[in-house]
Amino acid sequence: MDGVGNSVARSKIMVTNDDGIDGAGLRALVQVLVSSNLYEVLVCAPDSEMSGVSHSITWRHSVSVKQVNIEGAVAFAVSGTPADCASLGLSKALFPSTPDLVISGINMGSNCGYHVVCSGTVAGAREAFFHDVPSVSISYDWVGGKSKGNDFTLAAEYCLPVIGAILAEIKNGTYPLRCFLNIALPTNVSNHKGYKLTRQGKRLVKMGWRQVTSGMQGGKMSSTMTMDGVVSSTQMGASSISEEHLLFKREVVIAAHVEVDDTDYRDLQEGYITVTPLGALSNAELDCQAYFKDWLPGVIDSSSA
């Protein structure tokens, strides 16, 4: 904790993610932020991969925290979810002051459309939004066989102008706190077509279930929602459950469709760096609201008859 607050003039940025504190995206982002010599960088991230945990929180149990050596940053690994990490990092229980900005990412795989609901990366930024702290979630559209490790560094560098502009608005007191930003960078990030303001679409990868004979069977679902074929040492083996239990694993059933409207996923696939304002409310479509406005009085009338 020594050194925190020494550079008073520099803005404080706290980084979290859902791929874990050793995730390549987080490490690249921190390195770029530190190398800019513009920011005081704090890290509060899960101690293991937490992809797809959405906005789950640890409620009944304590979480363990361990300081981790990341050059140029003050970093802690937490045995909790991304939302836990964001909340803990903002609480002043771990760091002596509240950061100016929270960045969650860089996620390995894009977070667009309906997938922002189950994304732990987006949840890290959303949790900061709940605390009235400006926040951004960042994802890179990693594609196996095309993407390279250096792409995370490029993605982080291309986010620097947006990060700098946000902090300038925060300093001026003009940055809106009614939303947070979700940024996605295209696979061919070095040849991106520019930055584009988008809106959340309806992209969704349909998932199914397949019965397996062992918890080790079928590989592991990666954060990009593909099977990477790598078995984690923490996966459940056949010996850890009784024979009377059935085992099922998720699998991709239908690949996502491309949006016909001008939305985040379509613009990302066209090569743009997408910037999408998000909120916490999940309002239904207007036609649904109108339908139930007429429907509900009838239910009440029939139940009281």
Side-chain angles (χ1 to χ4, degrees), residues 140-204:
Y140 165 65
D141 192 18
W142 177 279
V143 174
K146 293 184 180 180
S147 300
K148 300 177 182 178
N150 187 54
D151 289 334
F152 282 120
T153 299
L154 292 175
E157 290 173 347
Y158 285 126
C159 287
L160 282 179
V162 178
I163 293 169
I166 290 172
L167 286 165
E169 295 290 336
I170 293 171
K171 184 174 290 187
N172 292 334
T174 54
Y175 191 77
L177 296 178
R178 298 182 302 278
C179 64
F180 63 98
L181 294 182
N182 184 37
I183 299 175
L185 297 104
T187 305
N188 189 7
V189 64
S190 60
N191 294 307
H192 71 85
K193 294 182 179 179
Y195 303 84
K196 190 170 185 179
L197 185 69
T198 61
R199 58 188 177 86
Q200 182 188 351
K202 299 179 180 180
R203 182 229 181 190
L204 181 68

Side-chain angles (χ1 to χ4, degrees), residues 20-253:
I21 199 162
D22 293 321
L26 179 143
R27 291 302 179 114
L29 175 60
V30 172
Q31 181 185 37
V32 167
L33 292 173
V34 170
S35 297
S36 73
N37 202 32
L38 295 173
Y39 312 115
E40 183 178 331
V41 183
L42 312 173
V43 180
C44 188
D47 60 8
S48 60
E49 185 175 333
M50 288 283 173
S51 298
V53 299
S54 189
H55 209 105
S56 59
I57 61 172
T58 302
W59 180 255
R60 296 182 180 275
H61 308 285
S62 58
V63 296
S64 62
V65 179
K66 179 181 179 181
Q67 188 156 11
V68 176
N69 182 28
I70 299 181
E71 187 176 355
V74 178
F76 292 92
V78 181
S79 65
T81 67
D84 288 333
C85 294
S87 177
L88 178 61
L90 295 172
S91 68
K92 296 184 182 179
L94 189 61
F95 302 115
S97 60
T98 303
D100 300 293
L101 177 68
V102 171
I103 303 177
S104 187
I106 299 172
N107 188 65
M108 183 181 183
S110 64
N111 288 317
C112 295
Y114 285 151
H115 287 295
V116 304
V117 175
C118 60
S119 167
T121 302
V122 175
R126 189 188 299 113
E127 181 68 22
F129 166 75
F130 288 158
H131 289 261
D132 294 322
V133 175
S135 59
V136 180
S137 53
I138 304 175
S139 62
Y140 165 65
D141 192 18
W142 177 279
V143 174
K146 293 184 180 180
S147 300
K148 300 177 182 178
N150 187 54
D151 289 334
F152 282 120
T153 299
L154 292 175
E157 290 173 347
Y158 285 126
C159 287
L160 282 179
V162 178
I163 293 169
I166 290 172
L167 286 165
E169 295 290 336
I170 293 171
K171 184 174 290 187
N172 292 334
T174 54
Y175 191 77
L177 296 178
R178 298 182 302 278
C179 64
F180 63 98
L181 294 182
N182 184 37
I183 299 175
L185 297 104
T187 305
N188 189 7
V189 64
S190 60
N191 294 307
H192 71 85
K193 294 182 179 179
Y195 303 84
K196 190 170 185 179
L197 185 69
T198 61
R199 58 188 177 86
Q200 182 188 351
K202 299 179 180 180
R203 182 229 181 190
L204 181 68
V205 175
K206 300 291 185 181
M207 306 294 291
W209 291 87
R210 177 168 58 95
Q211 187 171 357
V212 296
T213 57
S214 168
M216 309 289 281
Q217 182 180 340
K220 172 174 165 280
M221 184 71 72
S222 75
S223 58
T224 59
M225 293 197 172
T226 57
M227 301 304 294
D228 63 13
V230 178
V231 177
S232 167
S233 60
T234 59
Q235 284 182 272
M236 183 183 293
S239 60
S240 61
I241 60 171
S242 65
E243 293 183 358
E244 63 188 32
H245 289 87
L246 300 177
L247 290 175
F248 293 87
K249 276 199 168 183
R250 286 188 181 273
E251 61 181 0
V252 176
V253 175

